[in-house]
Amino acid sequence: CLCQSAGDHATLLGIYYAYKRVPKDQRKMWCESNAVNPSQMLKAEDVMTQLGAILNEHSDEELLSTMVRRSPNLAGNGAALHRKRRRESEKDASGDDETSELLKGQTSGMVKLRDFELIRRALCYGFSLNAAFYNAKIGNYQTVVGQQVVHLHPSSVLFYQRKKPALVVFNSVVRTTRRYMKDVSVVQEEWLRDAASFLRPVA
């Protein structure tokens, strides 16, 4: 299965790398077999090429120091921090193992930062105002800002998880008879505190 328990963004990235591992002359057939739109994969390749060009303009240390706030307890440069975060993510039991394996061994120069934890951290920074926590008392999510009740969209890979993640960020909300979160990723409370210290998820 191409679904990742870290959320929709991890799943999409996993699909992309699975697609890239397929020989070019077999990719159309692979897309048909996996119900993937081949034209969307070509667009994804273009986006990854553009992102790769941006990343190549800066060193890993510069990017890491921008994306991840340094802790006073951590010594060393950005590369050392990257290694520490990788060790922590490998021990994480949140279901990122499959994603980490997908990202390891990718020799394409399009993406320098392969640690998906850093990508989720970046999403947390970018969408900190779109955070939602799981309220076990009502059995649903509530937005951190405004305490609005929101639901996982049925198209999300997290919708089918029996145990719901405690904290997520989402790209957008679709309103029908309910408010549904779309494009959802699992994040950690400490990341949200770093991204927006004025936000406090309610237990």
Side-chain angles (χ1 to χ4, degrees):
C1 179
L2 296 172
C3 296
Q4 304 294 327
S5 59
D8 299 327
H9 300 94
T11 297
L12 292 172
L13 190 59
I15 291 171
Y16 175 79
Y17 277 120
Y19 167 84
K20 291 292 287 184
R21 287 198 299 269
V22 177
K24 287 186 176 181
D25 60 346
Q26 299 176 26
R27 287 178 180 174
K28 185 175 181 180
M29 184 180 299
W30 181 90
C31 287
E32 292 175 355
S33 300
N34 290 279
V36 173
N37 188 327
S39 63
Q40 293 301 315
M41 299 310 298
L42 293 175
K43 289 182 181 179
E45 284 187 292
D46 289 340
V47 171
M48 293 293 275
T49 300
Q50 294 174 40
L51 290 174
I54 294 171
L55 292 174
N56 286 331
E57 293 177 357
H58 305 279
S59 68
D60 282 354
E61 287 77 10
E62 290 176 315
L63 291 166
L64 287 166
S65 63
T66 301
M67 293 172 63
V68 182
R69 182 175 300 176
R70 295 190 182 201
S71 166
N73 297 323
L74 293 178
N77 58 20
L81 178 57
H82 188 192
R83 290 192 295 271
K84 183 179 187 300
R85 295 301 182 190
R86 177 174 291 281
R87 289 195 299 270
E88 290 175 352
S89 65
E90 288 173 352
K91 294 177 182 178
D92 188 2
S94 64
D96 289 349
D97 292 346
E98 293 179 359
T99 303
S100 298
E101 288 302 317
L102 281 169
L103 299 180
K104 287 177 183 176
Q106 295 296 332
T107 57
S108 169
M110 291 188 294
V111 180
K112 282 187 174 182
L113 300 176
R114 297 181 177 86
D115 189 343
F116 192 75
E117 180 188 332
L118 290 177
I119 298 176
R120 284 195 291 151
R121 281 175 175 265
L123 289 168
C124 190
Y125 272 73
F127 292 97
S128 58
L129 296 180
N130 285 7
F133 64 95
Y134 187 74
N135 188 335
K137 294 179 181 178
I138 64 174
N140 277 314
Y141 283 93
Q142 288 182 270
T143 58
V144 175
V145 177
Q147 308 290 299
Q148 296 285 334
V149 175
V150 286
H151 304 263
L152 290 168
H153 194 274
S155 64
S156 173
V157 297
L158 300 177
F159 180 83
Y160 299 98
Q161 284 191 15
R162 185 172 299 177
K163 184 178 180 181
K164 302 304 181 187
L167 188 64
V168 298
V169 292
F170 54 91
N171 283 15
S172 60
V173 169
V174 175
R175 293 188 182 186
T176 55
T177 54
R178 294 179 170 184
R179 293 183 179 90
Y180 287 102
M181 300 179 289
K182 295 204 70 177
D183 302 319
V184 186
S185 278
V186 180
V187 296
Q188 296 182 16
E189 186 173 345
E190 64 177 284
W191 304 350
L192 187 61
R193 285 199 302 266
D194 283 344
S197 58
F198 58 90
L199 296 177
R200 287 290 182 271
V202 179

